[in-house]
Amino acid sequence: MTRAVLTLNAGSSSLKVALYPEAGDMPLATGLADRIGPDGHLRLKLPDLHETPRITSHGVAIEAVIDALTLRWPDLDLVAVGHRVVHGGLRETHAPITPDLLTELEALSPFAPLHQPHNLAGIQAAMQAFPGVPQVACFDTAFHRTHPWEADTFALPRRFYDQGVRRYGFHGLSYDYVSSVLPADLTRVVVAHLGNGASMCAIRDGRSIASTMGFSALDGLPMGTRSGQLDPGVLLYLMEQQAMSPAEISDLLYKQSGLLGLSGISNDMRVLEASDAKEAAQAIGYFTLRCAREVAGLAAAMGGIDGLVFCGGIGENSARVRRQICAGLGWMGITLDEARNLAHGPEIGAGGVRVLVVPTNEELVIAKAARGVA
Ligand code: ADP
């Protein structure tokens, strides 16, 4: 019998999968189904590459994953399935999926309208595909439930906090992984998860004490297509003077802003770095300036820092972005060794505050939680 746990990370038009053995940190298989719809395509590394076209839905993607895995391991015995779930509300720990939990998570969909419904669709598809196999929900918010009140609230009348208008923070699975592999002497760290979605977290003694993402996955840093922090007066203006509907504003803030909106070229950092256009350089400049400001702000929340860590597609791969962010932080003792920066780490600092590049591994956090319920 090949006993294993499966991890699923369902996005709006993608599904990331990994198959882990019952023990150990190396996956047996990893894969991605993207552009789910008429052009959907699944690529699974088993470790040889297995490809399936016409992935029209998350359910079809999961069936194709099962087909490929059972072809490769006819004796596959799935002992648990772990799911990434963006919003877990006030839950501090990951949890086995039950009908009651699903109802609770559905009620949180309005808090994360562009992510949560897809996560839940992935769970429904997996429950149909693997009846009787324990499933566990792993929340991006859970890691941040250690926020002190001042870092958890907005300066609104207190009743809104009680109603759930809080700084939940996201990317918690990534922060959990990164903080678990950091050198033990780093006790006050800012971790920058810079990908298509981007946020930063202040981690003291392994616990999140502040994060740039707040109530929704829109706050904080600018992202591929999301605005990041915005003067709330802009929203009032859009509603009152430009008569924009909530749906139009949502589309603007989630899908047309950030690097894409600023550059008018692309949401993809690689494309912007390769461009000679002034607007591309300005978009990167806005991104890195906001990142530098947030590093300083999060450091202040901890009374200083010992380490700055970069992860995520941009954080792990863009020497230019790291250079531009750190260029504004020399006064805090953050300086880069450029040769190491160009080599992508792992240590890229030139002394003072340690600066590290740590490839994140959300799947492993999910797999470990899934093993816990198996
Ligand atoms: P997601 O949030 O969707 O998981 P990723 O963490 O995969 O996103 O990050 C995607 C981002 O990483 C894109 O903007 C992409 O351009 C950027 N990226 C990936 N590789 C590089 C690279 N070599 N140089 C610059 N940016 C990169």
Side-chain angles (χ1 to χ4, degrees):
M1 276 289 175
T2 303
R3 288 169 63 82
V5 298
L6 184 67
T7 69
L8 298 177
N9 178 350
S12 56
S13 61
S14 69
L15 180 76
K16 277 189 208 159
V17 298
L19 186 75
Y20 281 84
E22 240 187 337
D25 292 354
M26 292 302 293
L28 301 166
T30 57
L32 171 71
D34 63 359
R35 299 196 308 275
I36 289 176
D39 299 328
H41 191 91
L42 169 72
R43 281 174 211 81
L44 267 180
K45 279 171 73 182
L46 294 165
D48 48 316
L49 192 64
H50 179 103
E51 303 201 48
T52 316
R54 287 185 292 283
I55 300 294
T56 50
S57 69
H58 289 84
V60 170
I62 289 176
E63 276 171 25
V65 168
I66 302 170
D67 288 349
L69 293 180
T70 45
L71 202 64
R72 171 69 181 77
W73 292 282
D75 62 346
L76 183 67
D77 179 18
L78 217 50
V79 293
V81 182
H83 298 266
R84 179 184 186 181
V85 176
V86 160
H87 217 306
L90 298 180
R91 286 180 172 272
E92 295 171 8
T93 52
H94 310 316
I97 293 170
T98 61
D100 283 353
L101 179 65
L102 279 180
T103 307
E104 186 184 318
L105 298 182
E106 272 159 22
L108 292 168
S109 282
F111 286 9
L114 296 196
H115 294 92
Q116 192 88 340
H118 302 294
N119 301 157
L120 296 179
I123 293 177
Q124 296 288 4
M127 284 175 36
Q128 277 184 10
F130 313 114
V133 177
Q135 317 237 354
V136 61
C138 302
F139 306 118
D140 266 319
T141 46
F143 185 73
H144 300 290
R145 288 293 84 226
T146 47
H147 282 174
W149 180 81
E150 293 84 347
D152 206 39
T153 190
F154 296 95
L156 293 168
R158 293 185 81 110
R159 67 178 181 280
F160 289 101
Y161 183 77
D162 299 333
Q163 289 167 14
V165 182
R166 301 178 181 210
R167 287 192 175 278
Y168 292 96
F170 297 91
H171 290 136
L173 301 175
S174 176
Y175 294 127
D176 192 353
Y177 173 77
V178 169
S179 67
S180 75
V181 297
L182 287 180
D185 58 332
L186 295 185
T187 55
R188 296 175 303 170
V189 186
V190 171
V191 180
H193 178 109
L194 309 180
N196 220 353
S199 72
M200 289 188 190
C201 181
I203 301 178
R204 189 169 59 205
D205 298 323
R207 292 154 70 90
S208 168
I209 64 155
S211 68
T212 60
M213 271 190 180
F215 175 67
S216 71
L218 277 176
D219 200 8
L221 305 174
M223 301 171 225
T225 59
R226 290 175 245 164
S227 63
Q229 187 272 332
L230 199 66
D231 176 346
V234 173
L235 299 184
L236 298 176
Y237 166 79
L238 296 177
M239 288 187 286
E240 291 170 2
Q241 306 303 324
Q242 299 222 1
M244 286 178 74
S245 69
E248 287 169 330
I249 294 176
S250 172
D251 190 65
L252 176 75
L253 299 182
Y254 276 100
K255 296 186 177 164
Q256 299 177 39
S257 299
L259 294 174
L260 175 64
L262 285 169
S263 68
I265 297 171
S266 175
N267 65 312
D268 191 309
M269 187 60 84
R270 278 168 297 200
V271 175
L272 298 183
E273 287 194 3
S275 168
D276 292 331
K278 177 187 76 183
E279 291 80 5
Q282 286 180 330
I284 297 173
Y286 181 88
F287 180 80
T288 55
L289 176 63
R290 297 304 308 198
C291 286
R293 286 178 58 166
E294 294 291 352
V295 171
L298 292 171
M302 296 184 287
I305 58 173
D306 318 308
L308 170 62
V309 180
F310 290 99
C311 65
I314 298 172
E316 291 165 30
N317 296 299
S318 175
R320 172 173 169 184
V321 165
R322 295 191 299 257
R323 184 185 315 122
Q324 286 189 207
I325 293 171
C326 294
L329 298 171
W331 59 275
M332 286 175 64
I334 295 173
T335 48
L336 289 190
D337 178 318
E338 189 50 28
R340 290 180 181 178
N341 183 39
L342 286 170
H344 306 298
E347 289 266 1
I348 60 172
V353 172
R354 281 174 77 179
V355 188
L356 296 136
V357 176
V358 176
T360 195
N361 193 345
E362 292 153 314
E363 274 63 38
L364 184 58
V365 175
I366 300 172
K368 286 182 172 174
R371 284 174 188 149
V373 299

